[in-house]
Amino acid sequence: MSHFAEPSSRGLTQVAHVRSLSGMLNQDRIDIQESMAEPVYGAGVWHFATYVDRYATDGYGEPRTILDAIKLAGEVGDLSVLDLNWPFPPGDITTAEVRQALAEQNLRALAVTPEFYTGRFAKGGFTNPDPAVRREAIDLVAASAEVGRELGVDYVKIWPGQDGYDYPFQADYTDLWGKSVDALRELAQSFPDLKFAIEYKPREPRNRMVFSSVARTLLAIEDMGVDNVGVLLDFGHSLYGGETPAEAARMAIARDKLFAIDVNDNFRGWDDDMVVGSVHLLETFEFFFALDDAGWQGVWQLDQFPFREDPVEAARTGIRTMRAFHQALGYLDRDELAAAQAAQDALGAQRIAKRALFRALAESESE
């Protein structure tokens, strides 16, 4: 998740795809698409941090501040926006300094992510059994929202990583649910001009988290009864939570609650935060197709953790792959796909998707 280890404008690209039929009787037809607006690309600023784990407790590189990370983000070249941890790591950096650093790199703050998932909140943030600590967590998120207002962010990301439980009989599930819902309702009502996006995750650091799936998160939002709380769908969390990310996206969009996305990849057993498209190419393409087909136009945001890779190159690779997905959407014969899906023709639908995807990937990797 978004955590340091350390103690734009939307362009229009022409995707005019002129293709002629080869004359073969069974040649697949691809519709011509005149133009598509290229997405805005973003990243969590932690993408450019250094990391520790329980083995390499000395870290996987020299410590960096958020100002160092912003400078590295500026080297990527195709990033427009960043999601920022708050308090700004390592903790003594002002909003004015961050604003200046962003301006120097021609970047904008997309979101702030309050760090109420640290050791201080080991027994929970919104669900902590100590009322004083619970209030501290709510106040920390409120303070981050004030910073977000100053920076002009689109939303406050809520990742309540410590809210959950680890053992049977440890907690009253109704109590955990109620405290989570009440805390977010209070924040949303206190900041009606801001959006709050809940990033759900099945587990880690808790063995079971309160907001563990898209369905549970949507139910909680319904219980809150507010309009400015929605879902941030992390592709990797959805994968290793046993969901189909494209289906999860459709569920949130159908309720007008998909506020943001984070994309990455994993081997489905853990939140590996690998470079987007590393493992689940077809499912990632289906995810972006679901967004595009529903008319969703938010930022395509990287949430990658390049422990051992160069962070700038990892971001460039992720964006190149996302750009290929975007190009593939233009190559996709949507009428043919719709017909295959209406017949639930699995092999036919996959052939249509692969034809568009592999063409775009081959082009992107040959540039």
Side-chain angles (χ1 to χ4, degrees):
M1 181 38 212
S2 49
H3 167 48
F4 274 66
E6 162 60 19
S8 97
S9 63
R10 187 180 298 269
L12 184 69
T13 57
Q14 292 298 321
V15 199
H17 309 306
V18 181
R19 310 177 190 90
S20 60
L21 296 177
S22 68
M24 296 176 62
L25 290 177
N26 295 319
Q27 173 66 36
D28 293 316
R29 183 179 63 84
I30 301 177
D31 288 341
I32 296 173
Q33 186 160 330
E34 294 181 354
S35 67
M36 294 176 66
E38 185 166 7
V40 172
Y41 299 113
V45 73
W46 51 89
H47 185 291
F48 305 96
T50 50
Y51 313 103
V52 298
D53 59 26
R54 61 179 177 160
Y55 303 104
T57 56
D58 53 342
Y60 286 88
E62 293 301 315
R64 299 186 187 119
T65 70
I66 195 169
L67 301 180
D68 298 326
I70 291 171
K71 186 174 181 180
L72 282 174
E75 295 179 16
V76 175
D78 290 312
L79 284 178
S80 298
V81 295
L82 290 176
D83 181 352
L84 307 172
N85 307 79
W86 192 87
F88 301 126
D92 57 354
I93 294 172
T94 67
T95 304
E97 289 176 295
V98 168
R99 184 187 293 110
Q100 180 178 345
L102 290 168
E104 289 173 354
Q105 303 302 325
N106 196 29
L107 294 167
R108 182 177 72 83
L110 174 71
V112 289
T113 297
E115 292 191 333
F116 68 111
Y117 42 78
T118 59
R120 168 64 179 156
F121 303 102
K123 287 192 174 182
F126 295 157
T127 62
N128 198 288
D130 184 336
V133 178
R134 195 160 64 246
R135 174 49 51 187
E136 184 180 338
I138 295 171
D139 289 347
L140 189 154
V141 176
S144 78
E146 294 285 5
V147 171
R149 274 177 172 166
E150 289 185 56
L151 292 173
V153 301
D154 293 0
Y155 59 90
V156 178
K157 179 196 285 184
I158 302 296
W159 186 67
Q162 300 290 0
D163 286 335
Y165 58 94
D166 304 308
Y167 291 89
F169 285 100
Q170 178 178 352
D172 180 330
Y173 306 128
T174 302
D175 180 62
L176 295 181
W177 185 265
K179 285 174 176 168
S180 298
V181 168
D182 290 348
L184 270 165
R185 181 191 296 117
E186 175 185 332
L187 286 160
Q189 291 174 342
S190 298
F191 296 90
D193 56 316
L194 288 177
K195 289 184 175 181
F196 293 83
I198 302 170
E199 180 180 11
Y200 68 89
K201 185 178 181 181
R203 59 190 179 279
E204 195 226 0
R206 301 310 293 260
N207 288 340
R208 293 289 185 271
M209 292 173 62
V210 173
F211 299 127
S212 57
S213 67
V214 70
R216 285 176 61 88
T217 307
L218 289 169
L219 280 172
I221 292 168
E222 184 176 303
D223 285 355
M224 291 172 205
V226 293
D227 295 329
N228 56 329
V229 179
V231 172
L232 185 148
L233 199 163
D234 181 298
F235 183 85
H237 294 180
S238 183
L239 273 182
Y240 98 101
E243 296 178 338
T244 296
E247 181 185 32
R250 294 277 194 178
M251 289 180 66
I253 291 170
R255 291 154 181 82
D256 198 25
K257 288 299 180 182
L258 186 61
F259 285 5
I261 62 168
D262 280 351
V263 290
N264 43 51
D265 211 336
N266 60 53
F267 285 106
R268 231 180 185 115
W270 196 247
D271 188 26
D272 301 308
D273 284 322
M274 298 162 67
V275 172
V276 59
S278 299
V279 183
H280 294 92
L281 271 173
L282 204 58
E283 283 178 274
T284 310
F285 183 39
E286 184 189 31
F287 176 69
F288 284 119
F289 168 72
L291 300 179
D292 183 74
D293 189 57
W296 191 86
Q297 296 182 352
V299 173
W300 290 19
Q301 171 108 337
L302 295 173
D303 183 8
Q304 304 176 160
F305 273 56
F307 276 75
R308 300 167 183 84
E309 293 73 39
D310 178 273
V312 173
E313 287 305 314
R316 288 172 177 165
T317 300
I319 292 172
R320 184 169 65 250
T321 303
M322 288 196 293
R323 186 167 278 134
F325 287 133
H326 178 255
Q327 188 85 343
L329 291 172
Y331 293 157
L332 192 63
D333 188 322
R334 301 194 183 217
D335 290 342
E336 191 178 11
L337 178 62
Q341 289 181 329
Q344 295 189 23
D345 178 0
L347 300 182
Q350 289 228 329
R351 187 187 71 249
I352 295 160
K354 288 176 181 177
R355 185 177 63 211
L357 176 59
F358 295 163
R359 174 183 174 181
L361 286 169
E363 291 172 354
S364 73
E365 295 301 329
S366 63
E367 293 175 355

